[in-house]
Every structure is written in C-alpha cells, then in structure tokens.
Amino acid sequence: MASGTPRLDRDLVFSSVAGYRPLALDLHRPEGPGPFPVVLFVHGGGWMVGSRRTFCFFPASETFGRLVAEGWAVVSVDYRLSGEAVFPAPLDDLRAALRWVIAEASTHDLDSDAIAVWGESAGGQLAALLALDPDTAIRAAVDWYGPSDLADVPPAPTPAGPPSREARLLGVEPLADPDATRAASPLHHVHTGAPPFLLAHGLDDQAIPHRHSERLAAALRDASVDVELQLVPGAGHIWSGLDDSAVVMNPAVAFLHRIFDTLRR
C-alpha cells in the first residue's frame, strides 16, 4: 500500500466538444514516485444526474482514498448527461478520458499499460461498454449493478417524470429502436479477448435486477473471458441496506490487485 498524503488535482479538462460544456476529471494519486496503475471511475445517476465527486454512498476514505492507499491513481470523470446529449455521447466522452490518460501518463506518473475502468449503475453500463470496445486499452473492468440489456430494465419513475431514463439516454424508448438499444447494451458487445470483469450486484436490487449481472457474466464466460460475479444478499441498488463497504470493496480491490500485479510482472 502507498503511504503519505494523497495528491488531488481537481477540474482537469480532458474534452471540449463544440456546443457543450468542457468535461473535467479529478485525479487522485498516491505520494511518491510512479508510474501508478490507473482506475478510471465512472459515476452513476441514471445518465441524468451525478458527478465525478461521488462514489455511491460510501465515505470518500473508503472509496477514492482506499484505492489510492492501495497504490493506484484514480481518474474520476464526468460525461455528458442525457439532458445534454444522447448516446453514444457519454461513451465517446469516456473514450476521450481514456485517451487523456494515455496521452498525459508521463506528465502525471500514470501507467498507461495498467488501466482499469470501474463504474456503478449507469456508470457500470458505460464502463462495461468501454471495456468491450475493440482493441481497448482497458485491462480490467469493475461493473457494480450496471444494466447489461437496456431492453430489460423495469419501468421506474424519474425525478423529471416521463420518459424513462433509458429513453432519455437513447433519445427513444428502448423497445421502439432495437438497434439503438443493442448498441447501448453491454450484453450485445461481449467478445472473446475482452479484458477481465468483476460484476457485483445486490440480490435485493429492484432498480436493476441482479439478472443483468448474471446474464452478462454468463455471456462473458461463454466467450472465455475471465469474469468474477459477486451477488450480495440483502443489498439493493447503490448498495442500500449494506452496512459495511468492505463487503463489496474488498473483493473489487482483490480483483484489481490480481490483474495489476499480473500486468506488472
């Protein structure tokens, strides 16, 4: 584990698309010399809300701070929300963030050959898609309770009323445009040679049922991809009902150690 006071650089702009707000990231790094393996973190929020400053409901010391203490840099990114642009805009933004990490690696003591992506909920869907890009530079993916098939998400009210979160992301209701829905569904992008995945899901999740992670895990296994699946009894969406963050943080940290340690041998 790293020691000393973590370094934090906020509001680093990584993408400026004409007509949209500049997109920024926060860079959390250990003290001392690098290069550090990188965790590219993608927040949730139904593609409608959210911020790079949040990591579900756990304290920052148990999330960003925990990862930095393990010796990793965390690049937490914003992306265009559904009120700003429809899919694939948010995925394009993550691709831009990944390019930034690679281009700026030497400047910020980052290891561009050891990059993992970690997302929760809507961020899990985007993280999975980024990891499933052909020829991706992502070496591992942690997907917490992300939807894997947008045609199979239970209807739910949004703070803004109808349409659904998925329709706001796609610009159309999922069942009305199967091609757009498949394009935004990680389940339909699984391929042999994809990086290792850790999928974690609460068994009491009513927003995104745990079958989403189970179906994605089965597809990854069928494609001979290294995949771990953690199903958590008593936990709902965003780990509601879970009192101890270690229940889900420890397996994810162990997974990333396994992957990063292998990459550095």
Side-chain angles (χ1 to χ4, degrees):
M1 287 193 179
S3 60
T5 303
R7 294 175 285 175
L8 174 57
D9 296 305
R10 290 201 185 278
D11 307 320
L12 301 177
V13 173
F14 69 87
S15 179
S16 296
V17 179
Y20 298 94
R21 64 184 167 104
L23 294 173
L25 59 85
D26 292 343
L27 174 58
H28 308 249
R29 286 175 295 166
E31 276 290 349
F36 304 108
V38 178
V39 177
L40 182 66
F41 182 75
V42 190
H43 69 80
W47 308 285
M48 295 176 61
V49 296
S51 163
R52 65 186 183 274
R53 303 286 166 84
T54 59
F55 197 142
C56 63
F57 67 85
F58 299 145
S61 61
E62 299 174 18
T63 52
F64 297 121
R66 170 75 186 278
L67 300 183
V68 172
E70 297 290 339
W72 309 327
V74 181
V75 177
S76 185
V77 302
D78 277 342
Y79 51 87
R80 280 172 288 177
L81 302 173
S82 58
E84 300 172 289
V86 298
F87 188 85
L91 179 58
D92 289 339
D93 297 337
L94 295 193
R95 291 168 175 152
L98 180 57
R99 290 193 296 270
W100 183 95
V101 170
I102 294 169
E104 298 293 327
S106 60
T107 301
H108 296 287
D109 294 326
L110 308 177
D111 186 346
S112 60
D113 293 321
I115 306 172
V117 64
W118 184 332
E120 54 152 337
S121 193
Q125 173 255 0
L126 293 171
L129 288 173
L130 185 68
L132 292 169
D133 262 350
D135 302 316
T136 186
I138 296 296
R139 297 293 174 255
V142 177
D143 176 356
W144 275 2
Y145 45 83
S148 65
D149 182 359
L150 268 63
D152 186 34
V153 177
T158 75
S164 67
R165 291 174 175 84
E166 294 72 34
R168 291 172 185 272
L169 171 69
L170 299 173
V172 63
E173 287 291 350
L175 297 181
D177 192 336
D179 290 339
T181 301
R182 287 176 66 89
S185 298
L187 185 66
H188 299 297
H189 294 270
V190 171
H191 60 88
T192 300
F197 270 72
L198 171 74
L199 306 173
H201 220 119
L203 288 174
D204 289 349
D205 193 330
Q206 303 302 311
I208 305 296
H210 57 84
R211 64 178 178 268
H212 280 259
S213 288
E214 292 173 310
R215 292 177 66 198
L216 182 55
L220 289 164
R221 290 193 188 102
D222 287 346
S224 300
V225 176
D226 177 353
V227 58
E228 298 181 17
L229 173 63
Q230 182 188 16
L231 299 176
V232 184
H237 202 59
I238 324 178
W239 301 130
S240 60
L242 187 65
D243 295 328
D244 184 1
S245 66
V247 171
V248 288
M249 286 297 296
N250 286 355
V253 166
F255 167 77
L256 289 180
H257 269 302
R258 176 168 70 84
I259 303 304
F260 284 151
D261 292 351
T262 299
L263 291 172
R264 290 193 142 189
R265 284 175 190 164

